[in-house]
Amino acid sequence: MNQHRPDTSLADAMPQRLGDQGFHRVGILHHPKKPESIQLGQQIAAFLRAHGLEEIWFESAWESEAVLEHLPNVDLLITLGGDGTLLRAARLGARHNVPMLGVKMGRLGFLAEIFPDDWQAPLTRMLQGSYWVEQRLMVRVRLERSPAEGAPRASLCEYDALNDVVLSRGGLARVVRISVQLDGGYLTTYTCDGLIVSTATGSTGYALAVGGPILPPELRNILVIPIAPHLSMDRAVVLSEGTEIRMRAYSDHEAMLTVDGQFVVEVREGDEIMVTGSPHLARFIRMRDRSYFYRTLMNKLRGPSTQEGE
Amino acid sequence: MNQHRPDTSLADAMPQRLGDQGFHRVGILHHPKKPESIQLGQQIAAFLRAHGLEEIWFESAWESEAVLEHLPNVDLLITLGGDGTLLRAARLGARHNVPMLGVKMGRLGFLAEIFPDDWQAPLTRMLQGSYWVEQRLMVRVRLERSPAEGAPRASLCEYDALNDVVLSRGGLARVVRISVQLDGGYLTTYTCDGLIVSTATGSTGYALAVGGPILPPELRNILVIPIAPHLSMDRAVVLSEGTEIRMRAYSDHEAMLTVDGQFVVEVREGDEIMVTGSPHLARFIRMRDRSYFYRTLMNKLRGPSTQEGE
Amino acid sequence: MNQHRPDTSLADAMPQRLGDQGFHRVGILHHPKKPESIQLGQQIAAFLRAHGLEEIWFESAWESEAVLEHLPNVDLLITLGGDGTLLRAARLGARHNVPMLGVKMGRLGFLAEIFPDDWQAPLTRMLQGSYWVEQRLMVRVRLERSPAEGAPRASLCEYDALNDVVLSRGGLARVVRISVQLDGGYLTTYTCDGLIVSTATGSTGYALAVGGPILPPELRNILVIPIAPHLSMDRAVVLSEGTEIRMRAYSDHEAMLTVDGQFVVEVREGDEIMVTGSPHLARFIRMRDRSYFYRTLMNKLRGPSTQEGE
Amino acid sequence: MNQHRPDTSLADAMPQRLGDQGFHRVGILHHPKKPESIQLGQQIAAFLRAHGLEEIWFESAWESEAVLEHLPNVDLLITLGGDGTLLRAARLGARHNVPMLGVKMGRLGFLAEIFPDDWQAPLTRMLQGSYWVEQRLMVRVRLERSPAEGAPRASLCEYDALNDVVLSRGGLARVVRISVQLDGGYLTTYTCDGLIVSTATGSTGYALAVGGPILPPELRNILVIPIAPHLSMDRAVVLSEGTEIRMRAYSDHEAMLTVDGQFVVEVREGDEIMVTGSPHLARFIRMRDRSYFYRTLMNKLRGPSTQEGE
């Protein structure tokens, strides 16, 4: 386990201090399609070794099983890639409480902390203990299916997601009807392209694109918002992390469940999808002050041509 | 050709009169999956014969080729089904200027004029000449593809659509980038789930579900509106019918083009999609007064189920 | 103080039990412009007396001072009127923790529990202890002004609001610029008609009308959302109850601060408005089950008049 | 009257040629609160005189009566100020068909054609005949009032507006109910802060701030869109220029009618407001190519911090 002691240099944060015991074992995840991420990973490893850290391993972020083997014995996970790489790392690392540090190597990037052209100064601050840990809610989704007609449903699979879980139509059919229950009480039935169940982290992703509100990262709320609702409920609903959201899809064709925009599970007729707050939190190492989020947000909202002042 | 003389009974409309020459030859299209539509079609045919119309034929709305053979020699097309059936009929019948009369047999229905439980009175009014013809703009879409790398693009296929044309991501990849030119001038590049190019008729369909404005049926404008735009242009743009809209899709995966929500064409890298107003208009027989549209609209907006359970 | 013991009849609620000590002293607030509210108040008083409650007083909901005198010694406040009457009662009663029970006598009504044509049954259930207490976050707003140029700002006035606090342009000038800081960090500057800072309760009020998300009543979040933002940040932001929101208005003309839509304070150049969660909660007596909120919501969203005229 | 002959240098425009007869008499309107606008006006006048134009007069854009006296005998109106100055000029000059040329001296500016730091080159092009005339629809609003209870309504005042006409609540009361008829058919009753009736020109102004679609300048449509609609119709409606829009306001307090955001008329109970396309068009001199509008639009949408590349 990591140990964190107070850092007196960041007055407005809940700071954490790197002691002798912290960050001994570091994993570095590169993006398999970005050679520059391997190169940068090696530079960072050399830098860390020069500062006395010895146990450093490398892995492709896509090699889930290899990464999972390492995770029980790691104090810090450095990811080199876009937000997608951090989403992967979060799903893998959450149950081990591993803090993550993202180096942004893609176009988007609400989650990364460090930029490829300026990584030594922030890493040095981190090693000196000038950092804080941002904890973000994840959602847990469970797909329940009946083994046979009339038999009770059983859990078919279960995942944690840092951004969102989307229940949507499959390829062709445009419309799916999705009924929703909140803590056992009926909410409504949406006629739509799909329904997004998002965390605060996901509120700047797909949910934002369909008109959702912004939730700052530390907020432990769950957001439910439809994609292209047709003559049905069109507002986002903000819920507490403990709410149990239960969905069923009705469609002429198949429906599908997408987790963090990264993988898809087919949903059959009669299946139920249950989402609620995950017991695991994603943990991010931050050296910037706490208002970094709104600065990044306002820069992104200004559109692609605006340069990122971060 | 149909001949229409003024009808003095509907002061606020531009009415059309059925003379001796009108509506001799009637086609009745049923919905192949709704047996009740066959039954009702036969009742309507008997009713029309009793009123002296002799040339009546039946066909499934899905049998495009059989319908197309009839179309050059038909004065009126009666469709029994939902809006989907009328959309099919419009695409088939537009180039022959055939007036259509929709009998609503589905849940939705912005286009139908007659309801199954009250069809004799309006049909009688129509036969007496108390009707008007509503003409609606269609859009024409053309997919252009290069036969080989570097070769000029050629038209691959071309369709008329009464509702909308949608260029969107395929199954898995969430985001597609779509660049748009209007009359040769660059507009913007959307990062989105897809882009809808819609007629006034389509403005109460998919475009409505993504936040678009309402255009009454007689408006000859084209609406361009993105689905789930991510940190890019998120407003609808209303254009004149003569505007040439040219789109290109950029995606890691395939993109697809959907016409009236009814069929799909695969779009490859490098393809261009061109949309503009069609030279053909869809023509609908109306017996209700001209404000029927807003009444129907306001009823739909109030939602599908309406009793107050409080 | 009221004492509440568990109620075993409502399994899904956190029920409260009326013991011998509860609800002895009841205040009834009528609406001064609705004579029928006085009449119904007397009927309810007679009913309560018949059930052994002796200390009952009447007052107009608009007589703040008279009501305030009573409040330290009251166990239940029954209001007869619309949501406006309950908003008043909440502001007055919050600091005394007085539970409120609303009888709906207006068109709108998200807050009321009882309806004029069916009040005896629910009141009986309440007296039998079959009720629960819904606690709702209020926001506290403080207007700070400098006594003189360059002097430090001092608190000019302070209010609690159950719905919302709105900083907006005055009568004529259309646009005001409002800069916002969250916990001391700069968020953005809105160019807009005004800015709404709303509770969950207010999320179904003015905030809903400008596109805000729905927050169920028990959520202790604060919502910030602009009215008619012009080429500036147009999304709602959801915050935790402890966030300190600091606003300044820049306008050629005056700006104004509206509290719960009920009264207005003029805002001068240089003033700062600070909003955060109030230490007081509004407390509502409920006999309906906890999913009442979503049922009411979905009914409201369907619109005021609902018959299909088609 | 101005005479315009074809210009062969701008192939994609409907160009106009300055002959010997064109642009003899030029009015220059400055902004009374911007001294730099007087200075620039004098420089432009000297420039024009050097090119042989003799009849040049100056006036403050706010001196309506003085301007109106000049207007029957003017070939070109140059305005120095923001969009507000051009809106004024358009209202005054429309009935005389005077072409306008805007020099942008304010922060905003969708209408201006020339920028203070680069005016000689475009003015030279104009004098050489390389320009086109953009014609924009205006709306005409008429307020009708009964002289006495029960007496028929009479026209109280009538204005042309280039941007929009807004019927809204007065200062305090938050909500006004506004019923709307289109060509005599009932549309709906809005519960809202106000209702905007906008031209294409106004679609990038107030209407944009409440979620409206973009209409390019040449579109002769009218846009109806509510401000903060509460549980009532919340979509924009796009209409043809000939539609007669008739509104009535119902409120506990007064309502008001704002024309182009520039002046206000008090609306009493029982008044009716009628809006339709004006017979006059606003005419703007353009030297930039026709896609200038979308370039300006996309720059504005990117937010205030993005520099204007125009």
Side-chain angles (χ1 to χ4, degrees):
Chain A
M1 275 302 296
N2 310 298
Q3 286 178 271
H4 300 288
R5 280 187 278 148
D7 161 17
T8 52
S9 68
L10 277 174
D12 67 332
M14 294 195 315
Q16 314 274 346
R17 179 76 187 283
L18 173 76
D20 289 349
Q21 315 89 333
F23 298 159
H24 288 296
R25 301 159 302 176
V26 178
I28 298 181
L29 302 184
H30 67 268
H31 190 292
K33 293 202 168 173
K34 298 186 175 172
E36 68 274 26
S37 73
I38 300 182
Q39 206 178 357
L40 182 58
Q42 284 162 344
Q43 292 170 17
I44 290 177
F47 175 90
L48 292 176
R49 283 200 192 91
H51 284 75
L53 281 77
E54 293 293 338
E55 295 183 49
I56 297 176
W57 52 267
F58 293 87
E59 198 58 72
S60 158
W62 295 15
E63 295 296 328
S64 305
E65 289 189 27
V67 175
L68 278 170
E69 258 180 57
H70 281 295
L71 282 182
N73 302 302
V74 68
D75 302 320
L76 174 66
L77 210 48
I78 297 179
T79 70
L80 305 156
D83 275 0
T85 310
L86 270 169
L87 292 173
R88 265 169 221 283
R91 281 203 311 280
L92 297 173
R95 72 192 56 206
H96 300 286
N97 280 319
V98 183
M100 293 172 290
L101 176 65
V103 184
K104 180 191 165 177
M105 301 198 78
R107 265 191 315 140
L108 289 171
F110 274 99
L111 293 171
E113 179 65 15
I114 292 184
F115 297 81
D117 54 356
D118 175 28
W119 57 270
Q120 299 203 0
L123 266 192
T124 304
R125 288 208 303 279
M126 182 191 80
L127 293 173
Q128 290 166 345
S130 286
Y131 69 91
W132 53 284
V133 177
E134 183 182 69
Q135 304 195 100
R136 294 179 173 223
L137 180 74
M138 303 180 80
V139 285
R140 173 158 291 182
V141 57
R142 195 169 63 221
L143 177 63
E144 297 173 355
R145 180 170 295 171
S146 297
E149 185 75 37
R153 282 189 201 84
S155 174
L156 188 75
C157 54
E158 190 177 84
Y159 305 96
D160 287 333
L162 176 54
N163 256 355
D164 49 35
V165 166
V166 181
L167 176 59
S168 65
R169 63 181 174 93
L172 290 206
R174 195 184 81 67
V175 158
V176 62
R177 303 185 78 232
I178 298 176
S179 72
V180 173
Q181 292 207 315
L182 301 177
D183 286 336
Y186 176 69
L187 173 64
T188 193
T189 297
Y190 298 88
T191 303
C192 57
D193 277 12
L195 192 65
I196 303 170
V197 182
S198 164
T199 62
T201 300
S203 77
T204 53
Y206 201 176
L208 188 70
V210 296
I214 306 284
L215 278 64
E218 70 275 12
L219 224 57
R220 298 201 180 172
N221 290 98
I222 301 177
L223 186 61
V224 176
I225 187 166
I227 307 160
H230 191 58
L231 299 175
S232 55
M233 165 81 164
D234 61 358
R235 294 306 174 90
V237 180
V238 182
L239 300 165
S240 62
E241 64 177 312
T243 307
E244 189 186 276
I245 302 150
R246 207 162 260 281
M247 305 181 278
R248 284 191 68 164
Y250 305 87
S251 170
D252 296 342
H253 302 249
E254 85 277 26
M256 62 193 204
L257 182 71
T258 308
V259 179
D260 271 348
Q262 296 192 330
F263 62 90
V264 170
V265 183
E266 188 202 336
V267 175
R268 296 199 200 143
E269 206 182 316
D271 287 358
E272 272 196 24
I273 286 101
M274 200 282 281
V275 188
T276 191
S278 166
H280 302 304
L281 296 170
R283 308 173 78 222
F284 293 91
I285 299 290
R286 300 279 175 217
M287 277 70 80
R288 292 177 293 178
D289 70 282
R290 283 182 185 259
S291 61
Y292 85 94
F293 171 73
Y294 293 109
R295 281 201 310 279
T296 306
L297 173 67
M298 296 315 297
N299 279 333
K300 303 277 187 198
L301 290 179
R302 267 175 215 134
S305 80
T306 308
Q307 77 223 47
E308 294 211 17
E310 204 66 50
Chain B
M1 274 303 296
N2 310 298
Q3 285 177 274
H4 298 291
R5 281 186 276 148
D7 162 16
T8 52
S9 68
L10 276 175
D12 67 332
M14 292 193 315
Q16 315 273 350
R17 179 75 187 281
L18 172 74
D20 289 350
Q21 313 90 328
F23 296 160
H24 288 296
R25 300 158 302 175
V26 178
I28 298 182
L29 302 184
H30 66 268
H31 190 292
K33 291 201 169 172
K34 296 186 177 172
E36 67 275 25
S37 73
I38 301 181
Q39 205 175 359
L40 181 58
Q42 286 163 342
Q43 291 170 19
I44 289 177
F47 175 89
L48 292 177
R49 285 200 192 92
H51 284 73
L53 282 75
E54 292 294 338
E55 294 183 50
I56 298 175
W57 52 268
F58 292 87
E59 199 58 73
S60 158
W62 295 14
E63 295 297 329
S64 305
E65 292 189 27
V67 175
L68 278 170
E69 260 180 55
H70 281 293
L71 282 182
N73 303 300
V74 69
D75 303 319
L76 175 66
L77 211 47
I78 298 180
T79 70
L80 304 155
D83 275 2
T85 309
L86 270 169
L87 291 172
R88 266 170 220 282
R91 279 203 311 280
L92 297 173
R95 70 191 58 205
H96 300 286
N97 280 319
V98 183
M100 294 173 287
L101 176 65
V103 184
K104 180 190 166 178
M105 302 198 77
R107 264 190 317 139
L108 290 170
F110 273 97
L111 292 173
E113 179 66 15
I114 293 185
F115 297 82
D117 53 356
D118 175 27
W119 56 271
Q120 299 204 359
L123 266 192
T124 303
R125 287 209 301 280
M126 183 191 80
L127 293 174
Q128 289 166 344
S130 288
Y131 68 92
W132 52 284
V133 177
E134 183 182 69
Q135 303 195 100
R136 294 177 173 224
L137 181 74
M138 303 180 81
V139 285
R140 173 158 290 182
V141 58
R142 193 169 65 221
L143 177 63
E144 296 174 354
R145 179 170 296 170
S146 298
E149 184 76 36
R153 281 188 203 87
S155 174
L156 190 75
C157 54
E158 190 176 84
Y159 305 96
D160 287 333
L162 176 54
N163 256 355
D164 50 34
V165 165
V166 181
L167 176 59
S168 65
R169 64 181 175 94
L172 290 204
R174 194 183 83 65
V175 159
V176 63
R177 302 186 78 233
I178 298 175
S179 71
V180 173
Q181 291 206 316
L182 301 178
D183 286 335
Y186 176 69
L187 173 65
T188 193
T189 297
Y190 299 89
T191 303
C192 57
D193 277 12
L195 191 65
I196 303 170
V197 182
S198 164
T199 63
T201 301
S203 76
T204 53
Y206 200 177
L208 187 71
V210 297
I214 306 285
L215 278 65
E218 69 275 11
L219 225 56
R220 296 201 182 172
N221 291 97
I222 302 178
L223 186 61
V224 175
I225 188 167
I227 308 161
H230 190 57
L231 300 175
S232 55
M233 165 80 164
D234 62 357
R235 293 306 172 90
V237 180
V238 181
L239 300 166
S240 62
E241 64 176 311
T243 307
E244 188 186 275
I245 302 149
R246 206 163 260 282
M247 306 181 278
R248 284 190 69 162
Y250 305 88
S251 171
D252 296 342
H253 303 250
E254 84 277 23
M256 62 195 206
L257 181 71
T258 309
V259 179
D260 272 347
Q262 295 192 330
F263 63 89
V264 169
V265 183
E266 189 201 336
V267 175
R268 296 201 200 141
E269 207 181 318
D271 287 357
E272 272 196 24
I273 286 101
M274 199 282 281
V275 189
T276 192
S278 167
H280 302 303
L281 295 170
R283 309 173 78 223
F284 293 92
I285 299 290
R286 299 282 174 215
M287 278 71 80
R288 293 178 292 177
D289 71 284
R290 284 181 183 259
S291 61
Y292 85 93
F293 171 73
Y294 293 110
R295 282 201 309 278
T296 306
L297 173 69
M298 297 314 298
N299 279 333
K300 303 279 185 197
L301 290 178
R302 268 174 213 135
S305 125
T306 44
Q307 79 229 45
E308 291 220 14
E310 203 65 51
Chain C
M1 275 302 295
N2 311 299
Q3 285 175 274
H4 300 288
R5 281 185 278 150
D7 162 18
T8 52
S9 69
L10 277 175
D12 67 332
M14 293 196 313
Q16 312 276 347
R17 179 75 189 280
L18 172 75
D20 290 347
Q21 313 90 332
F23 296 159
H24 288 296
R25 300 160 302 174
V26 178
I28 298 181
L29 301 183
H30 66 268
H31 191 292
K33 293 202 168 174
K34 297 185 176 174
E36 68 274 24
S37 74
I38 301 182
Q39 206 176 358
L40 181 58
Q42 285 163 344
Q43 291 170 18
I44 290 177
F47 175 90
L48 292 176
R49 284 200 193 92
H51 283 75
L53 280 76
E54 291 294 338
E55 293 184 50
I56 297 176
W57 51 268
F58 292 88
E59 199 57 72
S60 158
W62 295 14
E63 296 296 329
S64 304
E65 292 189 27
V67 175
L68 278 170
E69 258 180 57
H70 280 294
L71 281 182
N73 303 301
V74 68
D75 303 320
L76 174 66
L77 210 48
I78 298 180
T79 70
L80 305 155
D83 275 0
T85 309
L86 270 169
L87 291 172
R88 266 169 219 283
R91 280 203 312 279
L92 296 173
R95 70 192 57 207
H96 301 285
N97 280 319
V98 183
M100 293 172 290
L101 177 64
V103 184
K104 180 191 166 179
M105 302 198 76
R107 265 191 316 142
L108 289 171
F110 274 98
L111 292 172
E113 179 66 15
I114 293 184
F115 297 82
D117 54 357
D118 176 27
W119 56 270
Q120 298 203 2
L123 265 192
T124 304
R125 288 208 303 280
M126 183 191 80
L127 292 174
Q128 289 165 345
S130 286
Y131 68 92
W132 54 284
V133 177
E134 183 183 68
Q135 303 195 100
R136 293 178 173 224
L137 180 74
M138 303 180 82
V139 286
R140 174 157 290 182
V141 57
R142 194 170 63 221
L143 178 63
E144 297 174 354
R145 179 170 295 171
S146 298
E149 185 75 35
R153 282 189 201 84
S155 174
L156 189 76
C157 55
E158 191 175 83
Y159 305 96
D160 286 334
L162 176 53
N163 256 356
D164 49 36
V165 166
V166 181
L167 176 58
S168 65
R169 63 180 174 95
L172 290 206
R174 194 182 83 66
V175 158
V176 62
R177 302 185 79 232
I178 298 176
S179 72
V180 174
Q181 291 208 316
L182 301 178
D183 286 337
Y186 176 69
L187 173 64
T188 193
T189 298
Y190 299 90
T191 303
C192 58
D193 278 12
L195 192 65
I196 303 170
V197 182
S198 165
T199 62
T201 300
S203 76
T204 53
Y206 201 177
L208 188 70
V210 296
I214 306 284
L215 279 66
E218 70 275 11
L219 223 58
R220 297 201 182 174
N221 290 96
I222 301 178
L223 186 61
V224 176
I225 186 166
I227 307 160
H230 190 58
L231 299 174
S232 55
M233 165 81 164
D234 62 356
R235 294 307 174 90
V237 180
V238 181
L239 301 164
S240 63
E241 65 177 312
T243 307
E244 189 187 274
I245 302 149
R246 208 163 259 281
M247 305 181 278
R248 284 191 69 165
Y250 305 88
S251 171
D252 297 341
H253 302 249
E254 83 277 24
M256 62 193 205
L257 182 70
T258 307
V259 180
D260 271 349
Q262 295 191 331
F263 63 90
V264 170
V265 183
E266 188 201 337
V267 175
R268 295 199 201 144
E269 206 181 317
D271 288 357
E272 273 197 24
I273 286 101
M274 199 282 280
V275 189
T276 192
S278 166
H280 303 303
L281 295 171
R283 309 173 78 223
F284 293 92
I285 299 290
R286 300 281 176 217
M287 276 72 78
R288 292 177 292 177
D289 70 283
R290 280 176 187 263
S291 60
Y292 85 94
F293 171 73
Y294 293 110
R295 281 200 311 277
T296 305
L297 173 68
M298 296 315 296
N299 279 333
K300 303 278 186 199
L301 290 179
R302 269 174 213 135
S305 126
T306 45
Q307 78 228 46
E308 291 219 15
E310 204 66 50
Chain D
M1 274 303 295
N2 310 298
Q3 286 177 272
H4 299 288
R5 281 186 277 149
D7 162 18
T8 52
S9 68
L10 276 175
D12 67 330
M14 292 194 315
Q16 314 275 346
R17 178 78 186 282
L18 172 74
D20 290 348
Q21 312 90 331
F23 297 162
H24 289 296
R25 300 159 301 175
V26 177
I28 299 182
L29 301 184
H30 67 267
H31 190 292
K33 293 201 167 172
K34 295 184 177 173
E36 67 274 24
S37 73
I38 300 181
Q39 207 176 357
L40 182 58
Q42 285 163 343
Q43 292 169 18
I44 290 177
F47 175 88
L48 293 176
R49 283 200 193 91
H51 283 76
L53 281 75
E54 292 293 339
E55 295 183 49
I56 297 177
W57 51 268
F58 292 88
E59 198 57 72
S60 159
W62 295 15
E63 295 297 327
S64 304
E65 291 190 25
V67 175
L68 278 170
E69 258 178 58
H70 281 293
L71 282 182
N73 303 301
V74 70
D75 302 320
L76 174 65
L77 210 48
I78 297 180
T79 70
L80 305 154
D83 275 0
T85 308
L86 270 169
L87 292 173
R88 265 170 220 283
R91 280 203 312 280
L92 297 173
R95 71 191 57 204
H96 301 285
N97 279 320
V98 183
M100 293 172 289
L101 176 64
V103 184
K104 181 191 165 179
M105 303 199 77
R107 265 190 316 140
L108 288 172
F110 274 98
L111 292 173
E113 178 66 15
I114 293 185
F115 297 82
D117 52 356
D118 177 26
W119 57 270
Q120 299 203 0
L123 265 192
T124 304
R125 288 207 304 278
M126 183 192 79
L127 293 173
Q128 291 165 344
S130 287
Y131 68 92
W132 52 284
V133 177
E134 182 182 71
Q135 303 195 99
R136 294 180 173 222
L137 180 75
M138 303 179 81
V139 285
R140 174 158 289 182
V141 58
R142 193 169 65 220
L143 179 62
E144 297 174 353
R145 179 170 296 170
S146 298
E149 184 77 37
R153 283 188 201 85
S155 174
L156 189 74
C157 54
E158 190 176 83
Y159 306 96
D160 286 334
L162 175 54
N163 255 356
D164 50 35
V165 165
V166 181
L167 176 59
S168 65
R169 63 179 176 94
L172 290 204
R174 194 182 82 67
V175 160
V176 61
R177 303 186 79 232
I178 297 176
S179 72
V180 174
Q181 291 206 316
L182 301 178
D183 287 335
Y186 176 70
L187 173 65
T188 192
T189 297
Y190 299 89
T191 303
C192 57
D193 278 12
L195 191 66
I196 303 170
V197 182
S198 165
T199 63
T201 301
S203 76
T204 54
Y206 200 176
L208 188 71
V210 296
I214 307 285
L215 279 65
E218 70 275 11
L219 223 58
R220 297 202 181 170
N221 290 98
I222 302 177
L223 186 61
V224 176
I225 187 167
I227 308 160
H230 190 57
L231 300 176
S232 54
M233 166 79 164
D234 61 358
R235 294 306 173 91
V237 180
V238 181
L239 300 166
S240 62
E241 64 177 311
T243 307
E244 188 186 276
I245 302 150
R246 206 162 259 283
M247 305 181 277
R248 284 190 67 164
Y250 305 87
S251 171
D252 296 342
H253 302 251
E254 84 277 23
M256 62 194 204
L257 181 71
T258 307
V259 178
D260 270 348
Q262 296 192 331
F263 63 89
V264 170
V265 183
E266 188 201 338
V267 175
R268 295 201 200 141
E269 206 182 318
D271 287 357
E272 272 196 24
I273 286 100
M274 200 281 281
V275 189
T276 192
S278 166
H280 302 303
L281 295 171
R283 309 173 78 223
F284 294 91
I285 299 290
R286 300 281 174 216
M287 277 72 79
R288 294 177 291 178
D289 70 283
R290 283 179 184 262
S291 61
Y292 84 94
F293 172 73
Y294 293 110
R295 283 201 308 279
T296 306
L297 173 68
M298 297 316 296
N299 278 333
K300 303 278 185 198
L301 291 178
R302 267 175 213 132
S305 81
T306 308
Q307 78 225 47
E308 294 206 20
E310 203 65 50

